[in-house]
Each structure stands twice: as structure tokens, then as C-alpha cells.
Amino acid sequence: MGQLFSKKNMEVFSTPLGLNNPVTVQVLGICSALAVTAKLEPAIVMGLSVTVITAFANVVISLLRKTIPNRIRIIVQLVVVAALVTVVSEILKAFAYDVSVQLSVYVGLIITNCILMGRLEAFAMMNGPWESFLDGIGNGLGYAKILVIVAFFRELLGSGTLLGFNILNHEWIKDLGYTNNGLMLMPPMALIIVACIIWYQRARNKELQEK
């Protein structure tokens, strides 16, 4: 049990949450961060979906890594990811249909997510199943964290709601002169918020300033 949760394994899990975040440091997965963060609920579902798929795809590829011919490794990775994405997509349609509709084609596009393919190639192909699982969970949650932060501000300031609950659309708030900013619901604002997060993270960590 101690080896499973060793310092090295915990670093594999925790580093993507901060100092090596896949979105703000590796600058991967930006497209979906722009597309699904106008509302908080689909952002949460998308983040959790990517986390689950990345974790289990890492485990499967790690288990198969010594038997996969090098020349077809990318094809095998895509087949594994496509199978997991299909399962997750069907589960969303069955139990969270409204969110599935909001996410539209972006669930299917998880297959080509740079974070996912990057972890399979850079980590799962060279490490054991447990370490690969932790790496997948860490990178998935690191990605989800950024999506949730961006969606929080976009929905709150753009629609005045959070998870569908009215927060800022009250008469007394409007009487103070506040109005929702429709620009927050447009994709460029997601990019600006991500840029602000990157700036904040780099300003707070000297390690990142040297990169």
C-alpha cells in the first residue's frame, strides 16, 4: 500500500493539477476549453468525461504496451480511446441527455484531445498501470479544473446564473446598474480568461517563469 501511494506516485498525480497543468502550462486542450465553458454544467461533465477516459485509456495502453508493435501504436491508442469515448457518450445520452445535447460533437472529439493522446504516448507507453492511472486522473482533473474556473466566470458574468440557479438576475442588482455581459458567452472571452489564469500561475511560480 505504501508503494502505491509513494511520494513519486503522488507527484505523478498532483503535478498536473498545478505546476504542469495540461492547459495552462502544456497549453493542450484549449479548443474544448473555448467550446464547452459557456455554462458550468457541461464544463463539469466534459472535465469528468476526459478524466475517466484518460485514466482508463492510460491503464489499458500501459497493460498492452509491451505487446503493441511500434509501427501501429498510434492506431491501437486511437482504437482504445474511441471505444472508451463511445461508452462515455452512450452513458451521457442515457443518464444526462440534456447535457449530452449541450456538449454536442465535443464528446466525440475527445478522441483527438491532445492531452489524452499526449499522456498515452508520453507516459502510459513507458510506465506501469497504477502510475498511468494516477497520471490520467491527475491530468484529467487538471484539465477539468481549468474548465470549471473558466465556465464559472463565463456563466456568472454572462448569464447571471450558476448551474441554472439565478445569482445576479435580481432587480436590486439591476437597480445598482449591473447588467450581464453578453461578451462573456463568446469563445474569445474563454481564451482571455485562460490567458489570465496562465499569467496568474506564472506570476506565482518562479519555476514556470524560467520556462
Side-chain angles (χ1 to χ4, degrees), residues 33-56:
L34 305 184
V36 302
T37 54
K39 298 289 183 181
L40 189 55
E41 185 178 18
I44 293 173
V45 173
M46 184 67 167
L48 292 178
S49 298
V50 170
T51 300
V52 170
I53 293 170
T54 305
F56 285 99

Side-chain angles (χ1 to χ4, degrees), residues 62 65 120-128 132:
S62 178
R65 71 187 190 281
L120 293 177
E121 185 71 10
F123 197 92
M125 288 293 293
M126 295 180 288
N127 292 275
S132 298

Side-chain angles (χ1 to χ4, degrees), residues 32-98:
S32 55
L34 305 184
V36 302
T37 54
K39 298 289 183 181
L40 189 55
E41 185 178 18
I44 293 173
V45 173
M46 184 67 167
L48 292 178
S49 298
V50 170
T51 300
V52 170
I53 293 170
T54 305
F56 285 99
N58 267 12
V59 171
V60 173
I61 293 300
S62 178
L63 290 170
L64 298 176
R65 71 187 190 281
K66 294 182 180 179
T67 62
I68 302 174
N70 187 59
R71 65 182 181 276
I72 63 168
R73 71 185 190 283
I74 300 298
I75 297 174
V76 174
Q77 291 170 14
L78 285 173
V79 170
V80 171
V81 172
L84 290 170
V85 168
T86 300
V87 171
V88 169
S89 178
E90 293 304 312
I91 291 174
L92 288 177
K93 290 178 181 178
F95 297 101
Y97 182 75
D98 291 341

Side-chain angles (χ1 to χ4, degrees), residues 3 16 33 42 53 57 71 88 93 102 116 124 131 148 158 160 173 178 196 205:
Q3 292 181 343
I53 293 170
R71 65 182 181 276
V88 169
K93 290 178 181 178
Q102 290 181 57
L116 186 58
E131 293 84 355
V148 168
I173 294 179
Y178 175 83
C196 290
N205 297 282

